PDB file of all heavy atoms in Angstrom:
ATOM      1  N   GLU O  49       4.138 -21.906   4.394  1.00 98.00           N
ATOM      2  CA  GLU O  49       3.640 -23.287   4.567  1.00 98.00           C
ATOM      3  C   GLU O  49       2.700 -23.336   5.719  1.00 98.00           C
ATOM      4  O   GLU O  49       2.663 -24.386   6.471  1.00 98.00           O
ATOM      5  CB  GLU O  49       4.852 -24.234   4.712  1.00 98.00           C
ATOM      6  CG  GLU O  49       5.659 -24.339   3.575  1.00 98.00           C
ATOM      7  CD  GLU O  49       6.960 -25.270   3.707  1.00 98.00           C
ATOM      8  OE1 GLU O  49       6.779 -26.425   3.784  1.00 98.00           O
ATOM      9  OE2 GLU O  49       8.012 -24.747   3.788  1.00 98.00           O
ATOM     10  N   ALA O  50       1.869 -22.406   5.912  1.00 97.00           N
ATOM     11  CA  ALA O  50       0.893 -22.353   6.988  1.00 97.00           C
ATOM     12  C   ALA O  50      -0.054 -23.559   6.959  1.00 97.00           C
ATOM     13  O   ALA O  50      -0.554 -24.082   7.948  1.00 97.00           O
ATOM     14  CB  ALA O  50       0.118 -21.123   7.041  1.00 97.00           C
ATOM     15  N   ALA O  51      -0.354 -24.012   5.685  1.00 95.00           N
ATOM     16  CA  ALA O  51      -1.218 -25.205   5.560  1.00 95.00           C
ATOM     17  C   ALA O  51      -0.759 -26.455   6.158  1.00 95.00           C
ATOM     18  O   ALA O  51      -1.584 -27.384   6.380  1.00 95.00           O
ATOM     19  CB  ALA O  51      -1.540 -25.376   4.076  1.00 95.00           C
ATOM     20  N   THR O  52       0.529 -26.581   6.546  1.00 96.00           N
ATOM     21  CA  THR O  52       1.093 -27.823   7.029  1.00 96.00           C
ATOM     22  C   THR O  52       1.325 -27.653   8.583  1.00 96.00           C
ATOM     23  O   THR O  52       1.886 -28.521   9.263  1.00 96.00           O
ATOM     24  CB  THR O  52       2.362 -28.218   6.385  1.00 96.00           C
ATOM     25  OG1 THR O  52       3.349 -27.274   6.611  1.00 96.00           O
ATOM     26  CG2 THR O  52       2.120 -28.588   4.907  1.00 96.00           C
ATOM     27  N   MET O  53       0.952 -26.479   9.115  1.00 97.00           N
ATOM     28  CA  MET O  53       1.225 -26.251  10.556  1.00 97.00           C
ATOM     29  C   MET O  53      -0.049 -26.438  11.365  1.00 97.00           C
ATOM     30  O   MET O  53      -1.205 -26.249  10.947  1.00 97.00           O
ATOM     31  CB  MET O  53       1.582 -24.736  10.778  1.00 97.00           C
ATOM     32  CG  MET O  53       2.827 -24.290  10.202  1.00 97.00           C
ATOM     33  SD  MET O  53       3.149 -22.547  10.575  1.00 97.00           S
ATOM     34  CE  MET O  53       4.661 -22.301   9.592  1.00 97.00           C
ATOM     35  N   SER O  54       0.168 -26.954  12.561  1.00 96.00           N
ATOM     36  CA  SER O  54      -0.970 -26.906  13.560  1.00 96.00           C
ATOM     37  C   SER O  54      -1.250 -25.572  13.903  1.00 96.00           C
ATOM     38  O   SER O  54      -0.570 -24.561  13.760  1.00 96.00           O
ATOM     39  CB  SER O  54      -0.513 -27.747  14.848  1.00 96.00           C
ATOM     40  OG  SER O  54       0.440 -26.945  15.447  1.00 96.00           O
ATOM     41  N   GLU O  55      -2.446 -25.346  14.471  1.00 97.00           N
ATOM     42  CA  GLU O  55      -2.871 -24.010  14.881  1.00 97.00           C
ATOM     43  C   GLU O  55      -1.924 -23.398  15.967  1.00 97.00           C
ATOM     44  O   GLU O  55      -1.608 -22.242  15.931  1.00 97.00           O
ATOM     45  CB  GLU O  55      -4.296 -24.043  15.437  1.00 97.00           C
ATOM     46  CG  GLU O  55      -5.410 -24.209  14.355  1.00 97.00           C
ATOM     47  CD  GLU O  55      -6.783 -24.239  14.859  1.00 97.00           C
ATOM     48  OE1 GLU O  55      -7.092 -23.392  15.802  1.00 97.00           O
ATOM     49  OE2 GLU O  55      -7.605 -24.960  14.389  1.00 97.00           O
ATOM     50  N   GLU O  56      -1.437 -24.231  16.841  1.00 97.00           N
ATOM     51  CA  GLU O  56      -0.521 -23.844  17.853  1.00 97.00           C
ATOM     52  C   GLU O  56       0.827 -23.323  17.182  1.00 97.00           C
ATOM     53  O   GLU O  56       1.293 -22.221  17.556  1.00 97.00           O
ATOM     54  CB  GLU O  56      -0.168 -24.951  18.871  1.00 97.00           C
ATOM     55  CG  GLU O  56       0.688 -24.536  20.004  1.00 97.00           C
ATOM     56  CD  GLU O  56       0.998 -25.743  21.049  1.00 97.00           C
ATOM     57  OE1 GLU O  56       0.466 -26.809  20.722  1.00 97.00           O
ATOM     58  OE2 GLU O  56       1.706 -25.397  21.963  1.00 97.00           O
ATOM     59  N   GLU O  57       1.298 -24.124  16.273  1.00 97.00           N
ATOM     60  CA  GLU O  57       2.567 -23.741  15.554  1.00 97.00           C
ATOM     61  C   GLU O  57       2.374 -22.426  14.801  1.00 97.00           C
ATOM     62  O   GLU O  57       3.114 -21.546  14.765  1.00 97.00           O
ATOM     63  CB  GLU O  57       2.930 -24.815  14.571  1.00 97.00           C
ATOM     64  CG  GLU O  57       3.800 -25.912  15.149  1.00 97.00           C
ATOM     65  CD  GLU O  57       4.153 -26.836  13.958  1.00 97.00           C
ATOM     66  OE1 GLU O  57       3.292 -27.184  13.116  1.00 97.00           O
ATOM     67  OE2 GLU O  57       5.340 -27.277  13.876  1.00 97.00           O
ATOM     68  N   HIS O  58       1.208 -22.354  14.132  1.00 98.00           N
ATOM     69  CA  HIS O  58       0.894 -21.206  13.374  1.00 98.00           C
ATOM     70  C   HIS O  58       0.916 -19.954  14.048  1.00 98.00           C
ATOM     71  O   HIS O  58       1.597 -18.953  13.762  1.00 98.00           O
ATOM     72  CB  HIS O  58      -0.604 -21.457  12.783  1.00 98.00           C
ATOM     73  CG  HIS O  58      -1.047 -20.488  11.735  1.00 98.00           C
ATOM     74  ND1 HIS O  58      -1.771 -20.890  10.707  1.00 98.00           N
ATOM     75  CD2 HIS O  58      -0.891 -19.174  11.602  1.00 98.00           C
ATOM     76  CE1 HIS O  58      -2.088 -19.906   9.946  1.00 98.00           C
ATOM     77  NE2 HIS O  58      -1.617 -18.850  10.486  1.00 98.00           N
ATOM     78  N   MET O  59       0.289 -19.969  15.362  1.00 98.00           N
ATOM     79  CA  MET O  59       0.382 -18.805  16.189  1.00 98.00           C
ATOM     80  C   MET O  59       1.716 -18.556  16.762  1.00 98.00           C
ATOM     81  O   MET O  59       2.097 -17.387  16.988  1.00 98.00           O
ATOM     82  CB  MET O  59      -0.689 -18.914  17.197  1.00 98.00           C
ATOM     83  CG  MET O  59      -2.083 -18.660  16.765  1.00 98.00           C
ATOM     84  SD  MET O  59      -2.328 -17.080  15.857  1.00 98.00           S
ATOM     85  CE  MET O  59      -1.525 -15.878  16.921  1.00 98.00           C
ATOM     86  N   ASP O  60       2.463 -19.579  17.127  1.00 98.00           N
ATOM     87  CA  ASP O  60       3.805 -19.470  17.680  1.00 98.00           C
ATOM     88  C   ASP O  60       4.680 -18.689  16.656  1.00 98.00           C
ATOM     89  O   ASP O  60       5.473 -17.823  17.040  1.00 98.00           O
ATOM     90  CB  ASP O  60       4.438 -20.812  17.964  1.00 98.00           C
ATOM     91  CG  ASP O  60       3.911 -21.451  19.206  1.00 98.00           C
ATOM     92  OD1 ASP O  60       3.263 -20.667  20.038  1.00 98.00           O
ATOM     93  OD2 ASP O  60       4.185 -22.639  19.422  1.00 98.00           O
ATOM     94  N   VAL O  61       4.554 -19.053  15.379  1.00 98.00           N
ATOM     95  CA  VAL O  61       5.415 -18.349  14.300  1.00 98.00           C
ATOM     96  C   VAL O  61       5.001 -16.952  14.199  1.00 98.00           C
ATOM     97  O   VAL O  61       5.828 -16.015  14.152  1.00 98.00           O
ATOM     98  CB  VAL O  61       5.359 -19.140  12.977  1.00 98.00           C
ATOM     99  CG1 VAL O  61       6.007 -18.299  11.908  1.00 98.00           C
ATOM    100  CG2 VAL O  61       5.944 -20.516  13.098  1.00 98.00           C
ATOM    101  N   ILE O  62       3.678 -16.649  14.130  1.00 98.00           N
ATOM    102  CA  ILE O  62       3.229 -15.320  14.068  1.00 98.00           C
ATOM    103  C   ILE O  62       3.702 -14.465  15.179  1.00 98.00           C
ATOM    104  O   ILE O  62       4.164 -13.356  15.014  1.00 98.00           O
ATOM    105  CB  ILE O  62       1.673 -15.275  13.963  1.00 98.00           C
ATOM    106  CG1 ILE O  62       1.231 -15.733  12.531  1.00 98.00           C
ATOM    107  CG2 ILE O  62       1.118 -13.853  14.224  1.00 98.00           C
ATOM    108  CD1 ILE O  62      -0.293 -15.996  12.432  1.00 98.00           C
ATOM    109  N   ARG O  63       3.590 -15.086  16.456  1.00 98.00           N
ATOM    110  CA  ARG O  63       4.033 -14.190  17.628  1.00 98.00           C
ATOM    111  C   ARG O  63       5.531 -13.961  17.621  1.00 98.00           C
ATOM    112  O   ARG O  63       5.927 -12.874  17.902  1.00 98.00           O
ATOM    113  CB  ARG O  63       3.659 -15.074  18.938  1.00 98.00           C
ATOM    114  CG  ARG O  63       2.176 -15.057  19.160  1.00 98.00           C
ATOM    115  CD  ARG O  63       1.867 -15.645  20.542  1.00 98.00           C
ATOM    116  NE  ARG O  63       0.423 -15.909  20.792  1.00 98.00           N
ATOM    117  CZ  ARG O  63      -0.104 -17.035  20.617  1.00 98.00           C
ATOM    118  NH1 ARG O  63       0.537 -18.193  20.315  1.00 98.00           N
ATOM    119  NH2 ARG O  63      -1.475 -17.205  20.896  1.00 98.00           N
ATOM    120  N   PHE O  64       6.223 -14.997  17.167  1.00 98.00           N
ATOM    121  CA  PHE O  64       7.682 -14.805  17.063  1.00 98.00           C
ATOM    122  C   PHE O  64       8.133 -13.670  16.126  1.00 98.00           C
ATOM    123  O   PHE O  64       8.921 -12.803  16.382  1.00 98.00           O
ATOM    124  CB  PHE O  64       8.420 -16.143  16.709  1.00 98.00           C
ATOM    125  CG  PHE O  64       9.910 -16.049  16.650  1.00 98.00           C
ATOM    126  CD1 PHE O  64      10.537 -16.402  17.730  1.00 98.00           C
ATOM    127  CD2 PHE O  64      10.516 -15.760  15.423  1.00 98.00           C
ATOM    128  CE1 PHE O  64      11.961 -16.396  17.720  1.00 98.00           C
ATOM    129  CE2 PHE O  64      11.949 -15.629  15.411  1.00 98.00           C
ATOM    130  CZ  PHE O  64      12.634 -15.982  16.538  1.00 98.00           C
ATOM    131  N   ILE O  65       7.515 -13.669  14.932  1.00 98.00           N
ATOM    132  CA  ILE O  65       7.824 -12.685  13.938  1.00 98.00           C
ATOM    133  C   ILE O  65       7.395 -11.265  14.479  1.00 98.00           C
ATOM    134  O   ILE O  65       8.145 -10.350  14.289  1.00 98.00           O
ATOM    135  CB  ILE O  65       7.127 -13.076  12.613  1.00 98.00           C
ATOM    136  CG1 ILE O  65       7.749 -14.250  11.928  1.00 98.00           C
ATOM    137  CG2 ILE O  65       7.212 -11.841  11.661  1.00 98.00           C
ATOM    138  CD1 ILE O  65       7.148 -14.724  10.764  1.00 98.00           C
ATOM    139  N   ILE O  66       6.218 -11.158  15.024  1.00 98.00           N
ATOM    140  CA  ILE O  66       5.863  -9.878  15.579  1.00 98.00           C
ATOM    141  C   ILE O  66       6.827  -9.390  16.577  1.00 98.00           C
ATOM    142  O   ILE O  66       7.266  -8.154  16.574  1.00 98.00           O
ATOM    143  CB  ILE O  66       4.446  -9.981  16.281  1.00 98.00           C
ATOM    144  CG1 ILE O  66       3.358 -10.154  15.267  1.00 98.00           C
ATOM    145  CG2 ILE O  66       4.140  -8.758  17.126  1.00 98.00           C
ATOM    146  CD1 ILE O  66       1.982 -10.651  15.768  1.00 98.00           C
ATOM    147  N   LYS O  67       7.314 -10.249  17.533  1.00 98.00           N
ATOM    148  CA  LYS O  67       8.278  -9.856  18.510  1.00 98.00           C
ATOM    149  C   LYS O  67       9.635  -9.521  17.925  1.00 98.00           C
ATOM    150  O   LYS O  67      10.228  -8.430  18.222  1.00 98.00           O
ATOM    151  CB  LYS O  67       8.429 -10.992  19.547  1.00 98.00           C
ATOM    152  CG  LYS O  67       9.389 -10.654  20.683  1.00 98.00           C
ATOM    153  CD  LYS O  67       9.397 -11.799  21.729  1.00 98.00           C
ATOM    154  CE  LYS O  67      10.290 -11.380  22.857  1.00 98.00           C
ATOM    155  NZ  LYS O  67      10.404 -12.445  23.965  1.00 98.00           N
ATOM    156  N   ALA O  68      10.055 -10.291  16.875  1.00 98.00           N
ATOM    157  CA  ALA O  68      11.320 -10.004  16.168  1.00 98.00           C
ATOM    158  C   ALA O  68      11.297  -8.666  15.438  1.00 98.00           C
ATOM    159  O   ALA O  68      12.300  -7.971  15.503  1.00 98.00           O
ATOM    160  CB  ALA O  68      11.674 -11.169  15.276  1.00 98.00           C
ATOM    161  N   VAL O  69      10.205  -8.364  14.813  1.00 98.00           N
ATOM    162  CA  VAL O  69      10.153  -7.165  13.973  1.00 98.00           C
ATOM    163  C   VAL O  69      10.076  -6.019  14.942  1.00 98.00           C
ATOM    164  O   VAL O  69      10.605  -4.973  14.634  1.00 98.00           O
ATOM    165  CB  VAL O  69       8.870  -7.211  13.135  1.00 98.00           C
ATOM    166  CG1 VAL O  69       8.635  -5.880  12.479  1.00 98.00           C
ATOM    167  CG2 VAL O  69       9.043  -8.321  12.024  1.00 98.00           C
ATOM    168  N   ASN O  70       9.444  -6.102  16.071  1.00 98.00           N
ATOM    169  CA  ASN O  70       9.290  -5.041  17.111  1.00 98.00           C
ATOM    170  C   ASN O  70       8.889  -3.639  16.515  1.00 98.00           C
ATOM    171  O   ASN O  70       9.547  -2.647  16.772  1.00 98.00           O
ATOM    172  CB  ASN O  70      10.605  -4.964  17.825  1.00 98.00           C
ATOM    173  CG  ASN O  70      10.535  -4.154  19.080  1.00 98.00           C
ATOM    174  OD1 ASN O  70       9.506  -4.010  19.673  1.00 98.00           O
ATOM    175  ND2 ASN O  70      11.701  -3.608  19.515  1.00 98.00           N
ATOM    176  N   HIS O  71       7.886  -3.627  15.676  1.00 97.00           N
ATOM    177  CA  HIS O  71       7.179  -2.424  15.232  1.00 97.00           C
ATOM    178  C   HIS O  71       8.131  -1.699  14.174  1.00 97.00           C
ATOM    179  O   HIS O  71       7.727  -0.518  13.832  1.00 97.00           O
ATOM    180  CB  HIS O  71       6.920  -1.445  16.423  1.00 97.00           C
ATOM    181  CG  HIS O  71       6.047  -2.063  17.487  1.00 97.00           C
ATOM    182  ND1 HIS O  71       4.782  -2.433  17.286  1.00 97.00           N
ATOM    183  CD2 HIS O  71       6.400  -2.460  18.817  1.00 97.00           C
ATOM    184  CE1 HIS O  71       4.267  -2.925  18.445  1.00 97.00           C
ATOM    185  NE2 HIS O  71       5.328  -2.976  19.282  1.00 97.00           N
ATOM    186  N   ARG O  72       9.107  -2.255  13.632  1.00 97.00           N
ATOM    187  CA  ARG O  72       9.928  -1.532  12.736  1.00 97.00           C
ATOM    188  C   ARG O  72       9.258  -1.473  11.336  1.00 97.00           C
ATOM    189  O   ARG O  72       9.457  -0.450  10.710  1.00 97.00           O
ATOM    190  CB  ARG O  72      11.317  -2.234  12.613  1.00 97.00           C
ATOM    191  CG  ARG O  72      12.227  -2.005  13.804  1.00 97.00           C
ATOM    192  CD  ARG O  72      13.491  -2.804  13.733  1.00 97.00           C
ATOM    193  NE  ARG O  72      13.301  -4.163  13.839  1.00 97.00           N
ATOM    194  CZ  ARG O  72      14.242  -5.079  13.704  1.00 97.00           C
ATOM    195  NH1 ARG O  72      15.428  -4.798  13.341  1.00 97.00           N
ATOM    196  NH2 ARG O  72      13.944  -6.382  13.970  1.00 97.00           N
ATOM    197  N   ILE O  73       8.543  -2.422  10.942  1.00 98.00           N
ATOM    198  CA  ILE O  73       7.699  -2.429   9.757  1.00 98.00           C
ATOM    199  C   ILE O  73       6.430  -3.193  10.084  1.00 98.00           C
ATOM    200  O   ILE O  73       6.411  -3.948  11.027  1.00 98.00           O
ATOM    201  CB  ILE O  73       8.415  -3.078   8.509  1.00 98.00           C
ATOM    202  CG1 ILE O  73       8.833  -4.578   8.787  1.00 98.00           C
ATOM    203  CG2 ILE O  73       9.587  -2.222   8.114  1.00 98.00           C
ATOM    204  CD1 ILE O  73       9.418  -5.261   7.558  1.00 98.00           C
ATOM    205  N   PRO O  74       5.401  -3.132   9.321  1.00 98.00           N
ATOM    206  CA  PRO O  74       4.164  -3.854   9.624  1.00 98.00           C
ATOM    207  C   PRO O  74       4.271  -5.312   9.466  1.00 98.00           C
ATOM    208  O   PRO O  74       5.058  -5.837   8.605  1.00 98.00           O
ATOM    209  CB  PRO O  74       3.162  -3.303   8.598  1.00 98.00           C
ATOM    210  CG  PRO O  74       3.674  -1.922   8.126  1.00 98.00           C
ATOM    211  CD  PRO O  74       5.177  -2.187   8.183  1.00 98.00           C
ATOM    212  N   VAL O  75       3.613  -6.003  10.390  1.00 98.00           N
ATOM    213  CA  VAL O  75       3.479  -7.492  10.305  1.00 98.00           C
ATOM    214  C   VAL O  75       2.049  -7.871  10.004  1.00 98.00           C
ATOM    215  O   VAL O  75       1.140  -7.502  10.768  1.00 98.00           O
ATOM    216  CB  VAL O  75       3.936  -8.210  11.557  1.00 98.00           C
ATOM    217  CG1 VAL O  75       3.738  -9.702  11.491  1.00 98.00           C
ATOM    218  CG2 VAL O  75       5.482  -7.945  11.820  1.00 98.00           C
ATOM    219  N   ILE O  76       1.845  -8.525   8.912  1.00 98.00           N
ATOM    220  CA  ILE O  76       0.473  -8.963   8.559  1.00 98.00           C
ATOM    221  C   ILE O  76       0.401 -10.513   8.728  1.00 98.00           C
ATOM    222  O   ILE O  76       1.203 -11.208   8.106  1.00 98.00           O
ATOM    223  CB  ILE O  76       0.317  -8.575   7.123  1.00 98.00           C
ATOM    224  CG1 ILE O  76       0.306  -6.992   7.006  1.00 98.00           C
ATOM    225  CG2 ILE O  76      -1.191  -9.016   6.671  1.00 98.00           C
ATOM    226  CD1 ILE O  76       0.420  -6.574   5.598  1.00 98.00           C
ATOM    227  N   ALA O  77      -0.489 -10.909   9.538  1.00 98.00           N
ATOM    228  CA  ALA O  77      -0.591 -12.286   9.899  1.00 98.00           C
ATOM    229  C   ALA O  77      -1.564 -13.057   8.927  1.00 98.00           C
ATOM    230  O   ALA O  77      -2.740 -12.575   8.725  1.00 98.00           O
ATOM    231  CB  ALA O  77      -1.091 -12.492  11.371  1.00 98.00           C
ATOM    232  N   GLY O  78      -1.132 -14.124   8.341  1.00 98.00           N
ATOM    233  CA  GLY O  78      -2.013 -14.982   7.581  1.00 98.00           C
ATOM    234  C   GLY O  78      -2.833 -15.740   8.478  1.00 98.00           C
ATOM    235  O   GLY O  78      -2.407 -16.666   9.178  1.00 98.00           O
ATOM    236  N   THR O  79      -4.140 -15.416   8.544  1.00 98.00           N
ATOM    237  CA  THR O  79      -5.107 -16.098   9.487  1.00 98.00           C
ATOM    238  C   THR O  79      -6.331 -16.661   8.895  1.00 98.00           C
ATOM    239  O   THR O  79      -7.318 -17.015   9.464  1.00 98.00           O
ATOM    240  CB  THR O  79      -5.446 -15.071  10.574  1.00 98.00           C
ATOM    241  OG1 THR O  79      -6.118 -13.961   9.964  1.00 98.00           O
ATOM    242  CG2 THR O  79      -4.362 -14.678  11.420  1.00 98.00           C
ATOM    243  N   GLY O  80      -6.292 -16.721   7.463  1.00 98.00           N
ATOM    244  CA  GLY O  80      -7.520 -17.263   6.752  1.00 98.00           C
ATOM    245  C   GLY O  80      -7.519 -18.784   6.944  1.00 98.00           C
ATOM    246  O   GLY O  80      -6.619 -19.476   7.212  1.00 98.00           O
ATOM    247  N   SER O  81      -8.754 -19.321   6.750  1.00 97.00           N
ATOM    248  CA  SER O  81      -9.032 -20.726   6.868  1.00 97.00           C
ATOM    249  C   SER O  81     -10.357 -21.070   6.142  1.00 97.00           C
ATOM    250  O   SER O  81     -11.187 -20.170   5.864  1.00 97.00           O
ATOM    251  CB  SER O  81      -9.233 -21.118   8.399  1.00 97.00           C
ATOM    252  OG  SER O  81      -9.673 -22.446   8.597  1.00 97.00           O
TER     253      SER O  81
END
Side-chain angles (χ1 to χ4, degrees):
E49 297 179 74
T52 64
M53 292 181 187
S54 68
E55 288 182 37
E56 182 179 4
E57 274 184 315
H58 191 140
M59 283 310 309
D60 284 347
V61 171
I62 288 171
R63 290 189 187 98
F64 183 89
I65 291 174
I66 291 168
K67 185 175 180 180
V69 171
N70 193 25
H71 307 290
R72 287 174 288 174
I73 57 175
V75 175
I76 299 160
T79 57
S81 173

